[in-house]
Amino acid sequence: MLTKFFRVSLLLLASHASFTTSADINQALLHEVRTAENKVRDDARKPLQTLSFFDVTPQSTVVEVWPGSGWYTEILAPLLADKGKLYAAHFSDKFTLLPADYMQKGRTAFQTKLASHPVYKNVTVTEFAPLAGIAIAPAASADVVLSIRNQLYMFDGENSLKHALANFYQALKPGGVLGVVAPRLPDQLLTSDWKKTGYVPQQLWLKLAKETGFDFEASNDLLINPKDTADHPSGIWSLPPSLAVDEKDKAKYRAIGEVTQMVLKFRKPRN
């Protein structure tokens, strides 16, 4: 009976911890720093469910890989401001497969965002380049590394992914989580040009992550969009928010919605 009691108590504690974390993430979602333009994408991107699935808590040390304009930074910074830590691994000058002016513009806009509100004061900006040995955070310091909506394969195929995974592995503590959100290629389109479309097979991530040393823990279908056929003229960039299509077709692609994303949870072994 005593053993049963402790089991029940542990389950209740875990449930309470999950509930508390959800409440904290919800509070971050309501923070004043979030723009109306970004909030409108919550239904498509499901940040509460995504961050909960990846074990992000207010106490976590998190690395956000290529934060872009800061869509997730607007959520992570308030969530981690008091008890956690956020590293934002932005573009690096050592990465030559993107235009230098594009990367500079992105970094400058991101730094401007960080200077716009005190909630960002504890965000540390680092760098990431999938083909360069740059530390995205101190070795073995991160509870969670997040690679969300990054198209790493398009640069140098499997080589890009292998370098990135090795970098993520180095930054994580033993037992830490790698959370991947990336466009998922349907099995029936495996012969398509993955670099051109931006869609990559889920099995490729699983294979290369295993080779790196990660344990695959779980996947989640929360970002599946049944309207996304993955055969668009400009690949993933046909869909919102990019809408890289003719003006006359934009309404059509807005109606489809955002790209189907795989949501994969890996863990660095504890020993």
Side-chain angles (χ1 to χ4, degrees), residues 144-162:
V144 183
V145 170
L146 298 174
S147 179
I148 297 182
R149 302 175 65 84
N150 294 320
Q151 289 80 52
L152 300 173
Y153 183 89
M154 64 180 287
F155 300 110
D156 192 26
E158 289 192 16
N159 198 33
S160 295
L161 285 176
K162 287 177 180 178

Side-chain angles (χ1 to χ4, degrees), residues 38 41 58 66 76 105 108 127 131 140 147 151 157 166 173 188 200 223 235 240:
N38 285 342
R41 313 216 78 85
W66 277 355
L76 290 167
K105 182 179 178 181
T108 299
E127 296 182 346
L131 300 173
S147 179
Q151 289 80 52
K173 299 175 182 177
Q188 66 270 23
V200 176
L223 297 180

Side-chain angles (χ1 to χ4, degrees), residues 35-56:
T35 64
E37 180 183 7
N38 285 342
K39 286 180 180 180
V40 79
R41 313 216 78 85
D42 286 355
D43 285 346
R45 299 185 177 182
K46 298 179 172 58
L48 169 61
Q49 298 93 322
T50 300
L51 295 178
S52 298
F53 182 67
F54 291 146
D55 296 347
V56 178

Side-chain angles (χ1 to χ4, degrees), residues 43-46 49-50 53-54 180-181 184 202 216 218-226 259-265:
D43 285 346
R45 299 185 177 182
K46 298 179 172 58
Q49 298 93 322
T50 300
F53 182 67
F54 291 146
V180 173
V181 175
R184 190 175 80 177
Q202 180 167 308
F216 173 58
S219 62
N220 196 308
D221 289 341
L222 66 96
L223 297 180
I224 298 299
N225 177 2
V259 62
T260 280
Q261 307 273 0
M262 64 183 99
V263 181
L264 306 176
K265 182 179 181 181

Side-chain angles (χ1 to χ4, degrees), residues 27-227:
Q27 187 174 357
L29 289 170
L30 297 173
H31 196 277
E32 66 180 8
V33 79
R34 298 198 68 212
T35 64
E37 180 183 7
N38 285 342
K39 286 180 180 180
V40 79
R41 313 216 78 85
D42 286 355
D43 285 346
R45 299 185 177 182
K46 298 179 172 58
L48 169 61
Q49 298 93 322
T50 300
L51 295 178
S52 298
F53 182 67
F54 291 146
D55 296 347
V56 178
T57 74
Q59 295 78 34
S60 297
T61 294
V62 176
V63 182
E64 184 185 4
V65 177
W66 277 355
S69 63
W71 195 93
Y72 258 101
T73 312
E74 289 183 4
I75 303 167
L76 290 167
L79 178 65
L80 304 172
D82 294 333
K83 300 176 182 178
K85 175 64 182 175
L86 178 60
Y87 292 95
H90 219 291
F91 295 133
S92 167
D93 290 335
K94 295 181 180 179
F95 190 52
T96 59
L97 297 179
L98 282 174
D101 58 343
Y102 170 82
M103 292 191 294
Q104 182 60 50
K105 182 179 178 181
R107 286 196 303 263
T108 299
F110 187 73
Q111 292 282 11
T112 300
K113 177 188 286 287
L114 296 189
S116 70
H117 196 283
V119 77
Y120 295 120
K121 67 181 184 299
N122 292 326
V123 178
T124 297
V125 178
T126 60
E127 296 182 346
F128 169 66
L131 300 173
I134 304 170
I136 57 176
S141 66
D143 297 296
V144 183
V145 170
L146 298 174
S147 179
I148 297 182
R149 302 175 65 84
N150 294 320
Q151 289 80 52
L152 300 173
Y153 183 89
M154 64 180 287
F155 300 110
D156 192 26
E158 289 192 16
N159 198 33
S160 295
L161 285 176
K162 287 177 180 178
H163 277 78
L165 284 162
N167 200 331
F168 304 163
Y169 192 92
Q170 183 182 33
L172 283 167
K173 299 175 182 177
V177 169
L178 168 61
V180 173
V181 175
R184 190 175 80 177
L185 182 74
D187 290 341
Q188 66 270 23
L189 295 178
L190 289 177
T191 58
S192 60
D193 185 340
W194 306 346
K195 285 187 180 181
K196 182 178 179 180
T197 68
Y199 292 91
V200 176
Q202 180 167 308
Q203 192 58 39
L204 181 64
W205 272 98
L206 299 179
K207 170 180 173 288
L208 297 182
K210 182 178 180 180
E211 291 176 0
T212 303
F214 284 104
D215 292 329
F216 173 58
E217 189 158 301
S219 62
N220 196 308
D221 289 341
L222 66 96
L223 297 180
I224 298 299
N225 177 2
K227 295 181 181 179

